[in-house]
Amino acid sequence: MSCLNQSAFDILKAEIQRRCASSPAGNVQQEIALRRLEKLRSRQGAPLTLDQLRDTLSDLFPDFDEKVLKRAAKANCPPVATGWHRVKWVAIAIAGITGGIWVLNLPYPMIRYPVAQTMPLVLLPSFINMDHNYRQAIASTEQADQLVNRATSAADFDLGHTKVKQAQSHLGALPVWFLGYYPSVYCGWFRCSWRFTLDEFQQARKDVARMEAKLFQERNALTTIAKAEEVIATAKQQYQQQSDTAAKQAALAQWQQAMDELKTVSQQTLAGRTAQTKLLAFERDFQQVAGFTADNVRSGSVIQAAKLAAETAQKFSSKPVQTTAEWQEAVKLWQAAIAQLEMIKLDDPDYLSAQKLLQRYQENLSRTRVRLQQEQESVQFYEQAQRLTQQLLASVPANAKVMSGEQVGQLQAIVNTLKKVSQGTTVYADAQVMLKSAQRRLH
């Protein structure tokens, strides 16, 4: 059978010729496309489908008419009419037989008993299914018992839950009324393994239900433990990160509440026994941390006092221009804040936060001392310039029009002294006025 029959070839050829007739440049595309179709027509194999025909022409004609492609694909894969009715009737017969066997294998006594006595082989699917479910139920129940009742970790419970569900599924597939029935023909051929009685079946169901209840308890216990561990970890982290005493106390309260939750987990469960071991570690850490509570209160008060002193010092330091007295008071306040922080020892829980503040306050103290020194020196230079100015004025006669060389030197000394006055000091503005006046006199 060729990949492309004559009918499909003619349909595609007509459409290609129609598309290329109006375009002189389309002759090349037409030639390439027809050459491809000729090769496909001469090639033996399965008929090309719609997608394959589309892929064959898509590079040459991206917008090829979809309707034409569908007609060509339909013509290339004509329905096989030979023997259709025979196939149809065979299919109907198979369906009818299958349906009949399905009905005869329904798990109802009024159907099973007569069939088992007259045509036991018809029940072969049921026997196979019963044998399979019996084997799987026994295996799953034993595995679930091992995993659930002798669990050593949470992973055993996860796998045990899967095995319990499998055991329930296979036990539910066994027909209870049929448990005492022993299909002699089938078992004579295949050696049946089931010997379930109704009591054994009910006991197996009870065991599986008991394991399911135990899994439920274990899962609840594991959930409680996981939540408590998360709360404890969060509380511990908050306690370490917070600097406020009230926030630390709140974190300790959450920590204690989570440990109380762990104590409520039943020790009859594996999770509960595991929780007791973890609880000992949590309580040890809590006692170690809570032992610092009194020290925390003391160090917290010290830090607050240092912060109050620093805030007052900041008010003095924040003004752009201040007197010597104000800078001296700011220095005293920064020194007081630093002295408070230096009282916190290395073993204090707030030592790290105190050290951070201490470093910042020492930097502020250094800047304040620099500004104080600038203010003091600027005032001294300004006062010195004033004295030199008075001396110069006293040495210059009232009717003198030109200064002597000595007087010019004195005026230059005044200018040099005024230039030493730092910007941002209380005398800087007055010094600039004097400086400009002295410079004009020089020139």
XYZ file of all heavy atoms in Angstrom, residues 390-424:
253
model
N 42.699 95.725 68.900
C 42.751 96.843 69.845
C 44.152 97.414 69.933
O 44.343 98.655 69.996
C 42.270 96.371 71.222
C 40.789 96.050 71.265
C 40.357 95.477 72.613
O 41.191 95.278 73.504
N 39.061 95.215 72.747
N 45.145 96.540 69.936
C 46.535 97.013 69.984
C 46.874 97.802 68.721
O 47.563 98.845 68.779
C 47.492 95.826 70.127
C 47.391 95.113 71.454
C 48.258 93.878 71.530
O 48.991 93.561 70.578
N 48.185 93.154 72.660
N 46.381 97.327 67.563
C 46.654 98.017 66.307
C 45.994 99.387 66.293
O 46.609 100.391 65.880
C 46.168 97.174 65.125
C 46.319 97.800 63.745
C 47.814 98.052 63.435
C 45.716 96.885 62.671
N 44.768 99.442 66.734
C 44.064 100.722 66.748
C 44.735 101.708 67.701
O 44.788 102.925 67.438
C 42.609 100.502 67.164
C 41.738 99.740 66.160
C 40.347 99.489 66.741
C 41.625 100.505 64.838
N 45.268 101.206 68.792
C 45.926 102.094 69.754
C 47.249 102.639 69.209
O 47.680 103.749 69.576
C 46.174 101.341 71.059
N 47.878 101.891 68.296
C 49.178 102.320 67.772
C 49.072 103.198 66.536
O 50.070 103.786 66.103
C 50.041 101.100 67.448
O 49.438 100.335 66.404
N 47.910 103.313 65.941
C 47.745 104.105 64.724
C 47.253 105.497 65.113
O 46.204 105.620 65.794
C 46.741 103.439 63.762
C 46.525 104.320 62.531
C 47.267 102.075 63.342
N 47.977 106.585 64.729
C 47.526 107.949 65.032
C 46.198 108.242 64.340
O 45.864 107.664 63.315
C 48.654 108.827 64.481
C 49.842 107.912 64.385
C 49.312 106.566 64.102
N 45.481 109.177 64.913
C 44.149 109.490 64.378
C 44.232 110.121 63.006
O 43.358 109.929 62.160
C 43.405 110.410 65.357
N 45.314 110.921 62.726
C 45.406 111.596 61.434
C 46.272 110.842 60.426
O 46.628 111.386 59.378
C 45.960 113.010 61.643
C 47.303 112.986 62.365
O 47.769 111.932 62.786
N 47.943 114.157 62.500
N 46.656 109.585 60.759
C 47.531 108.836 59.851
C 46.746 108.312 58.665
O 45.637 107.799 58.815
C 48.187 107.676 60.596
N 47.308 108.488 57.479
C 46.643 108.022 56.258
C 47.258 106.741 55.724
O 46.620 106.007 54.990
C 46.727 109.117 55.184
C 45.989 110.372 55.559
C 46.047 111.397 54.432
C 45.288 112.680 54.791
N 45.351 113.690 53.718
N 48.503 106.462 56.065
C 49.187 105.263 55.571
C 49.778 104.544 56.773
O 50.377 105.175 57.654
C 50.304 105.612 54.565
C 50.995 104.345 54.101
C 49.747 106.391 53.398
N 49.564 103.195 56.788
C 50.101 102.400 57.898
C 51.568 102.085 57.652
O 52.010 101.929 56.498
C 49.313 101.083 58.032
C 47.898 101.288 58.514
S 47.089 99.699 58.856
C 47.120 98.995 57.214
N 52.280 102.014 58.765
C 53.684 101.655 58.678
C 53.834 100.151 58.439
O 52.847 99.387 58.488
C 54.401 102.054 59.983
O 53.849 101.298 61.067
N 55.059 99.743 58.183
C 55.296 98.321 57.931
C 54.954 97.462 59.132
O 54.412 96.352 59.011
N 55.256 97.977 60.310
C 54.937 97.209 61.517
C 53.428 97.053 61.677
O 52.937 95.983 62.046
C 55.537 97.917 62.728
C 55.287 97.161 64.028
C 55.886 97.899 65.214
O 56.560 98.930 65.017
O 55.673 97.412 66.354
N 52.711 98.116 61.366
C 51.251 98.063 61.481
C 50.649 97.111 60.448
O 49.677 96.405 60.732
C 50.688 99.474 61.325
C 51.066 100.402 62.471
C 50.701 101.849 62.215
O 50.426 102.233 61.062
N 50.751 102.674 63.261
N 51.228 97.095 59.256
C 50.742 96.146 58.230
C 50.965 94.722 58.706
O 50.124 93.825 58.534
C 51.448 96.395 56.888
C 51.112 95.277 55.894
C 51.030 97.743 56.325
N 52.098 94.460 59.348
C 52.366 93.125 59.875
C 51.360 92.729 60.944
O 50.911 91.573 61.007
N 51.012 93.714 61.820
C 50.008 93.429 62.845
C 48.646 93.106 62.211
O 47.924 92.201 62.663
C 49.884 94.636 63.791
C 51.103 94.853 64.660
C 50.964 96.087 65.540
O 50.109 96.947 65.294
N 51.832 96.202 66.559
N 48.300 93.837 61.164
C 47.015 93.581 60.484
C 47.000 92.213 59.823
O 45.987 91.488 59.850
C 46.779 94.685 59.442
C 45.413 94.643 58.723
C 44.284 94.773 59.739
C 45.329 95.775 57.681
N 48.162 91.813 59.262
C 48.242 90.488 58.633
C 48.123 89.383 59.684
O 47.505 88.336 59.453
C 49.574 90.355 57.893
C 49.730 89.042 57.135
C 48.700 88.900 56.030
O 48.519 89.822 55.220
N 48.003 87.765 55.989
N 48.677 89.648 60.872
C 48.542 88.670 61.959
C 47.073 88.517 62.371
O 46.605 87.413 62.693
C 49.399 89.101 63.148
N 46.345 89.621 62.354
C 44.904 89.560 62.674
C 44.174 88.700 61.648
O 43.328 87.850 61.987
C 44.321 90.984 62.725
C 44.924 91.756 63.901
C 42.791 90.935 62.828
C 44.555 93.225 63.935
N 44.492 88.897 60.361
C 43.848 88.114 59.290
C 44.153 86.631 59.467
O 43.257 85.773 59.378
C 44.307 88.621 57.910
C 43.840 87.669 56.804
C 43.806 90.031 57.662
N 45.401 86.305 59.726
C 45.784 84.897 59.885
C 45.080 84.266 61.082
O 44.678 83.096 61.046
C 47.294 84.786 60.037
C 48.037 85.217 58.784
O 47.475 85.188 57.690
N 49.295 85.622 58.943
N 44.931 85.028 62.135
C 44.262 84.490 63.326
C 42.779 84.263 63.063
O 42.205 83.236 63.470
C 44.440 85.455 64.510
O 45.834 85.682 64.736
C 43.802 84.888 65.767
N 42.130 85.162 62.380
C 40.693 85.013 62.081
C 40.419 83.834 61.147
O 39.362 83.214 61.214
C 40.161 86.311 61.469
C 40.059 87.506 62.426
C 39.675 88.779 61.679
C 39.034 87.216 63.531
N 41.356 83.540 60.280
C 41.170 82.411 59.367
C 41.169 81.071 60.100
O 40.694 80.063 59.585
C 42.256 82.411 58.291
C 42.080 83.501 57.254
C 43.161 83.407 56.190
C 42.961 84.462 55.105
N 44.015 84.385 54.062
N 41.707 81.046 61.311
C 41.743 79.810 62.084
C 40.414 79.520 62.774
O 40.245 78.436 63.337
C 42.849 79.888 63.136
C 44.242 79.967 62.546
C 45.288 80.089 63.633
C 46.701 80.202 63.056
N 47.728 80.333 64.120
N 39.497 80.445 62.758
C 38.180 80.219 63.370
C 37.406 79.219 62.514
O 37.237 79.434 61.307
C 37.405 81.542 63.514
C 36.007 81.274 64.072
C 38.176 82.493 64.414
N 36.939 78.124 63.115
C 36.259 77.038 62.380
C 34.809 77.399 62.076
O 34.137 78.090 62.867
C 36.287 75.744 63.198
O 37.618 75.339 63.443
N 34.358 76.897 60.941
C 32.960 77.092 60.561
C 32.061 76.258 61.478
O 32.403 75.160 61.885
C 32.765 76.679 59.107
C 31.386 77.007 58.561
C 31.278 76.671 57.078
O 32.243 76.198 56.480
N 30.133 76.934 56.492
N 30.886 76.764 61.799
C 29.964 76.046 62.659
C 30.141 76.357 64.123
O 29.534 75.695 64.972
